[in-house]
Amino acid sequence: MRKKLYFKRVQCGGDGMMKQFAACLVGMMACMSAYSSDAGKGTDDPVYSPAYFWLWNDRLDTDRLCSQLEDMCAHGLRNVCIHPMPKAFRPAWCSTKMAPDYLTPEFIEVYARVVRRAGELGMHAYLYDEGGWPSGGACGLVAAADMDGSFAPREIALGKDGGTVVRRRPYAPGYAAYPSVVEKGTTQKFIELTHDAYAKRLGKDLGTTSRIVFTDEPNRPANRPGVSLGWTADFHEVFKEKKGYDIMPHMAELIRRYNDSDDRLAKLRIDIHDVMADLFVDRYLLPLRDWCRAHGVLSGGHLNGEDVPEKAAEYGHGSVLRSLRAMDVPGVDTIWRQLFPLVAGMPAVTLAFPRYASSAMHQNGGRFALSESFAIYGDSVTPAQMKWVIDYQMVRGINTFVFGAYAQSNAGQWMTAYEPHSGPVAPYWDFQPHWFKYVERSCRFVSQGLPGAEIAVLYDVRGLWAGGFDRETAAWNHHAVARTLDRMNCDYDFVDDDQLAAAELLPGGRMKIGEMSYRAVVLPTSKWMRTDAKKRCEEFKSSGGILAYADDLSAVPRTLSLSGAYVNEFRVMKRNDGNRSIWVVMNEDVHARSVKLSFPVKGPVVRYDAEHDRYELVSEKSDFDHKFAGGETSIFITGDVPHAERAVAYVGKRVEISDGWTLKKLVSHVAGDADFEIKPCDGEACPAALGDWRPSLGADFSGKALYRVEFDSPAEGRAKLDLGDVKWCAAVKLNDKDYGARFFGPFVWNVEVRKGKNVLEVTVANLLANQTGDESLRDRVMREFPPLSPYDAKQRVFDRENHESGLYGPVSIQFEK
């Protein structure tokens, strides 16, 4: 078992060397204890439980906040990420009443009390390092402390004489002033104002309850194509020192011909981006990581726009893999449906970017790869779609999730500002413990052992930096190779030139990169690869390794052998855990598909059922046919498997329950004048047919309703209750016995049936989109609580979907024998 954590660049020296070294050592030991490779195996450690961004957007009353925290805990959440939303964040459009103000002593006091309560509840609390986003400016406080403008963002632009001029870039009006995190001293001031303030008050809760610091979308000054390039006060000197030549004579042409296809200019662009990427790591990410390690916590978070490789030159990180390797918990952002399953008339949205974070985790020898998921997915995103998005990322190595969002207040503008809504305002809130446990158990289980990927794919950041046609080619081939390997059922990591150039060649034709060892290297494009990286790849090939290119991937090793008509729809991840292997297999199609699985180790195959926390014997042999439901993910174990029995087969008499149903509203979630109102419903149950409840309950009804039926059973004993299709969540009582809730399907329960009369009650919850999808609501919010969120245009379209609601069936009881 691996326990190494890579504590590099601990800056100790001068008169305080021994004191700093001791503090760093204590911090390192605390991290290793809390986050060793064995962490999270026990069910009491909440490390893999999902968290919500908890948006603090109202007056911070400690009792109210602790009540909301206790509500999360009672619903099965064991992590939370407090996300302050100060008034100064984006006053141009973000209406927030948060008080006390951000980072004041009074704010820190409330924060510390809430974190202490989280610890008492057995929860963890991410330390989110910003007021709003992007991280690095302390919601304008860093800029306010900048007396001489040394932290201000800079750019180099065209001058009036045709030359260039370096100037400070004005702060954007209507937003908290955001400094340049690549200027000397900016990050140190950010840490002083933010991290040190929290550490001083949190005391022992830092490193125990708060164990991961989350940095969100930090940026260096962006490039403005054809206008200016991001710069620093000392960039000219730093560039010359690193590259050995003066870039200034070329800058005017580089700005004017920002994306022209020209090899001479491409070489200059690559060098500029390379230096800026180094500055982003050295001046922002590594100081944060050093601080975290010295305080016994891990640095984590995600960058900005990492899902779009072709924008690597414009977005603030420069080199995505280099940046992610500088975090203990590298992460990505899954926002506004960047990942989404197939829907009617629209193809699935499938991109490779979750692997960027998991690759960095693997190569660093880390334990966690993070995803911020579901921001701006709309209130119409269904439970099945949520599960698909999580499973999609999990089969690509993500094992820690922060969901968006649980708002402290949903009043006013917040009725439509940031969706999906979560917490009590969502009709399905009481059904979500099933979901939270599924995510936690799945993430914990698939994190055991070591990653089994044997293919390294070049992320050609230099080709992306080159611009012009070369950038388009690098991006196209990047996506094409990733899609092809996915469809070949291959598990793989991404690497960059830095890693290939420094790789160690091992006997037997393997390449060691960080903590990983690969049998194959794939180069989607290689025109602008570093010469030493190309040479290393050729040496790897000569030593017996597999070197493949975009036009022929036939030689790369497949992770698992699958056969059948739909094998291209399946994705595979492998973990090596001592004498056993763990295989994660996902059917990304929304339709049920059958496939033959052929595992390389002879013997029985066991499936871990994360939904119910149990093992199930699937086959006595290592090759067998298996049917996957649409979007289903299965976790298989081979080798040294745990004891397991076959699942109960229900092959007895089947009774369909189609008539005699009644329907009654239980609770309505209504968009009131200034906030959502959750109201118990009066009224009698009415006869109802299975299917869409909107003709009976109204098209705009969001909430919970109760279906009830009495039916006669010809026998008694154990049976399978199958509700068939449900829109969208269901909970079951049979003869007054509570059998629990399902957030997503299949909606199947093992139940005990009486002979003769039985009473079945099914509570169904639909989505808040039946309210928020009403155009009149959004128009009213815009009129009475202006301005609308900039995300409204997307959410308005999303929320027109999935208004159908209710128990569709067919509902049946089938006996075991």
Side-chain angles (χ1 to χ4, degrees):
M1 288 295 188
R2 198 168 41 185
K3 293 182 182 284
K4 193 171 182 181
L5 269 180
Y6 287 88
F7 295 97
K8 297 177 181 177
R9 294 177 48 86
V10 175
Q11 298 173 350
C12 303
D15 294 338
M17 181 176 65
M18 292 306 296
K19 182 178 180 180
Q20 291 183 33
F21 178 77
C24 291
L25 183 61
V26 169
M28 286 188 275
M29 295 304 293
C31 279
M32 293 177 72
S33 174
Y35 288 107
S36 72
S37 62
D38 294 324
K41 283 192 176 181
T43 57
D44 292 334
D45 192 330
V47 63
Y48 292 109
S49 174
Y52 269 107
F53 272 145
W54 186 14
L55 305 181
W56 283 11
N57 60 353
D58 204 352
R59 176 162 291 279
L60 303 180
D61 176 84
T62 304
D63 290 341
R64 179 187 176 195
L65 292 169
C66 287
S67 177
Q68 291 186 342
L69 189 69
E70 290 157 6
D71 177 47
M72 292 183 224
C73 183
H75 282 76
L77 285 168
R78 304 202 296 154
N79 258 328
V80 68
C81 186
I82 299 170
H83 192 311
M85 300 291 284
K87 296 175 184 177
F89 165 46
R90 290 185 178 177
W93 65 264
C94 184
S95 176
T96 172
K97 299 178 181 178
M98 194 189 89
D101 204 2
Y102 184 56
L103 295 182
T104 60
E106 295 80 9
F107 169 87
I108 294 290
E109 182 63 27
V110 173
Y111 185 98
R113 289 181 182 179
V114 173
V115 169
R116 176 59 55 87
R117 182 62 182 139
E120 293 169 353
L121 293 169
M123 299 177 71
H124 286 176
Y126 288 82
L127 199 168
Y128 187 84
D129 68 4
E130 186 53 72
W133 65 87
S135 290
C139 199
L141 295 178
V142 171
D146 182 16
M147 295 297 101
D148 60 1
S150 59
F151 303 155
R154 286 171 171 77
E155 63 184 3
I156 184 167
L158 295 175
K160 294 181 180 179
D161 58 356
T164 57
V165 58
V166 175
R167 63 194 183 196
R168 293 176 184 167
R169 183 177 287 173
Y171 293 114
Y175 293 78
Y178 186 65
S180 172
V181 299
V182 290
E183 292 289 352
K184 287 182 177 178
T186 303
T187 302
Q188 286 68 30
K189 177 56 70 173
F190 173 55
I191 289 172
E192 174 191 324
L193 292 171
T194 305
H195 301 65
D196 288 345
Y198 281 122
K200 183 178 179 180
R201 179 60 184 85
L202 287 177
K204 66 179 183 180
D205 290 325
L206 185 66
T208 53
T209 301
S210 292
R211 308 203 305 192
I212 299 175
V213 175
F214 191 119
T215 199
D216 195 2
E217 298 187 2
N219 285 284
R220 49 117 170 133
N223 293 329
R224 300 178 180 180
V227 178
S228 66
L229 300 181
W231 209 247
T232 71
D234 61 345
F235 189 84
H236 178 202
E237 294 77 12
V238 172
F239 183 94
K240 190 169 185 179
E241 179 182 351
K242 284 180 173 285
K243 297 300 180 181
Y245 67 94
D246 189 353
I247 192 62
M248 294 306 290
H250 310 284
M251 288 310 303
E253 185 180 14
L254 284 169
I255 295 169
R256 284 195 303 269
R257 302 178 60 192
Y258 179 80
N259 199 40
D260 286 3
S261 296
D262 183 304
D263 284 2
R264 178 181 60 83
L265 295 178
K267 168 64 170 62
L268 299 171
R269 291 186 195 115
I270 291 169
D271 283 352
I272 288 175
H273 290 306
D274 190 32
V275 172
M276 190 62 82
D278 270 351
L279 289 178
F280 182 67
V281 170
D282 291 341
R283 292 184 176 177
Y284 184 75
L285 292 173
L286 290 181
L288 292 186
R289 192 179 72 177
D290 290 345
W291 185 95
C292 288
R293 291 178 173 182
H295 288 79
V297 295
L298 299 181
S299 67
H302 73 84
L303 307 169
N304 180 32
E306 65 273 341
D307 60 303
V308 189
E310 48 269 46
K311 291 292 187 179
E314 278 82 45
Y315 283 121
H317 51 265
S319 172
V320 63
L321 294 184
R322 193 183 303 175
S323 295
L324 290 174
R325 289 195 299 272
M327 298 182 186
D328 296 314
V329 184
V332 293
D333 186 10
T334 304
I335 189 174
W336 46 50
R337 303 193 180 186
Q338 291 162 328
L339 302 175
F340 210 66
L342 174 76
V343 294
M346 296 293 291
V349 182
T350 55
L351 297 171
F353 68 89
R355 291 192 191 271
Y356 306 159
S358 62
S359 299
M361 170 185 70
H362 295 163
Q363 293 147 9
N364 279 354
R367 296 303 302 173
F368 309 109
L370 168 76
S371 171
E372 174 190 331
S373 293
F374 301 126
I376 323 305
Y377 265 59
D379 280 324
S380 66
V381 60
T382 71
Q385 290 166 343
M386 291 185 197
K387 181 178 181 295
W388 188 96
V389 170
I390 292 303
D391 288 354
Y392 180 101
Q393 296 178 85
M394 186 173 64
V395 79
R396 289 163 174 81
I398 300 296
N399 62 8
T400 310
F401 292 92
V402 177
F403 298 160
Y406 184 124
Q408 177 196 359
S409 170
N410 293 292
Q413 185 195 60
W414 292 90
M415 295 172 74
T416 61
Y418 195 93
E419 301 174 7
H421 292 83
S422 296
V425 70
Y428 52 54
W429 177 237
D430 290 337
F431 299 76
Q432 288 195 277
H434 167 239
W435 160 241
F436 300 145
K437 283 300 181 186
Y438 170 80
V439 175
E440 179 178 356
R441 291 170 183 151
S442 297
C443 290
R444 175 179 291 111
F445 200 88
V446 303
S447 300
Q448 297 179 81
L450 303 174
E454 294 198 309
I455 304 168
V457 178
L458 174 66
Y459 181 100
D460 186 14
V461 68
R462 293 169 66 85
L464 296 167
W465 286 340
F469 181 72
D470 291 334
R471 180 174 79 167
E472 295 175 12
T473 302
W476 174 269
N477 281 16
H478 174 85
H479 294 303
V481 165
R483 282 193 296 267
T484 301
L485 290 175
D486 282 344
R487 291 168 65 83
M488 290 171 63
N489 318 125
C490 294
D491 191 7
Y492 59 95
D493 286 337
F494 286 105
V495 297
D496 58 22
D497 299 70
D498 303 343
Q499 295 171 293
L500 290 174
E504 178 185 354
L505 301 186
L506 302 176
R510 301 189 75 91
M511 178 181 283
K512 187 175 187 298
I513 295 178
E515 291 293 289
M516 292 297 292
S517 170
Y518 302 105
R519 287 175 55 200
V521 173
V522 180
L523 306 180
T525 46
S526 57
K527 175 180 177 179
W528 292 105
M529 278 182 69
R530 285 172 45 171
T531 302
D532 50 357
K534 281 186 178 180
K535 181 180 178 183
R536 204 61 171 156
C537 287
E538 290 300 328
E539 293 170 346
F540 169 65
K541 181 180 179 181
S542 298
S543 71
I546 300 168
L547 185 62
Y549 298 88
D551 58 350
D552 185 5
L553 299 175
S554 59
V556 301
R558 299 200 179 206
T559 303
L560 179 63
S561 176
L562 286 77
S563 55
Y566 297 100
V567 294
N568 290 344
E569 303 299 332
F570 286 79
R571 306 294 171 256
V572 178
M573 182 181 79
K574 182 185 179 186
R575 302 281 297 184
N576 300 313
D577 187 24
N579 294 324
R580 68 175 185 170
S581 296
I582 297 170
W583 312 80
V584 184
V585 183
M586 179 184 180
N587 171 23
E588 287 187 0
D589 199 332
V590 296
H591 303 289
R593 301 299 186 198
S594 294
V595 67
K596 183 175 183 179
L597 303 167
S598 298
F599 292 94
V601 178
K602 299 299 181 184
V605 178
V606 168
R607 185 176 79 93
Y608 174 64
D609 178 357
E611 190 178 345
H612 303 99
D613 194 24
R614 64 192 180 199
Y615 294 105
E616 170 190 304
L617 178 64
V618 179
S619 174
E620 296 284 0
K621 300 193 303 181
S622 59
D623 57 329
F624 55 92
D625 293 324
H626 193 75
K627 185 175 182 179
F628 290 76
E632 180 183 346
T633 296
S634 285
I635 302 170
F636 298 105
I637 308 161
T638 61
D640 187 5
V641 301
H643 174 74
E645 303 290 340
R646 286 192 179 274
V648 175
Y650 291 91
V651 295
K653 184 174 180 60
R654 182 177 180 273
V655 178
E656 187 165 323
I657 309 168
S658 55
D659 299 321
W661 290 91
T662 62
L663 177 61
K664 175 185 178 181
K665 286 184 181 181
L666 291 179
V667 179
S668 67
H669 293 239
V670 178
D673 292 339
D675 199 350
F676 289 100
E677 299 171 3
I678 304 172
K679 302 177 180 178
C681 297
D682 297 324
E684 299 295 322
C686 298
L690 297 183
D692 197 339
W693 75 29
R694 287 180 292 174
S696 299
L697 304 187
D700 63 348
F701 175 71
S702 287
K704 294 189 279 286
L706 176 66
Y707 289 83
R708 186 180 187 276
V709 68
E710 294 183 9
F711 68 94
D712 287 327
S713 170
E716 66 179 5
R718 188 161 64 166
K720 177 180 72 175
L721 169 64
D722 189 342
L723 297 184
D725 191 15
V726 175
K727 311 291 185 185
W728 298 97
C729 309
V732 163
K733 279 187 177 181
L734 181 61
N735 301 321
D736 289 326
K737 182 176 179 180
D738 189 346
Y739 283 93
R742 300 277 190 275
F743 183 62
F744 53 82
F747 295 97
V748 175
W749 288 258
N750 296 328
V751 298
E752 292 290 332
V753 179
R754 297 173 183 167
K755 186 175 181 179
K757 179 183 175 181
N758 291 264
V759 178
L760 174 62
E761 295 176 302
V762 181
T763 301
V764 173
N766 69 344
L767 308 177
L768 198 61
N770 292 64
Q771 281 286 301
T772 57
D774 184 347
E775 292 288 332
S776 65
L777 168 65
R778 308 192 93 91
D779 292 340
R780 176 161 59 85
V781 170
M782 179 173 62
R783 183 174 61 253
E784 298 180 11
F785 308 102
L788 276 179
S789 156
Y791 308 123
D792 182 73
K794 288 182 181 291
Q795 294 177 155
R796 186 182 290 248
V797 173
F798 294 158
D799 286 349
R800 295 170 186 160
E801 304 169 359
N802 300 325
H803 288 198
E804 58 270 34
S805 309
L807 174 59
Y808 278 56
V811 178
S812 64
I813 293 282
Q814 185 164 20
F815 289 91
E816 183 178 354
K817 298 177 181 178

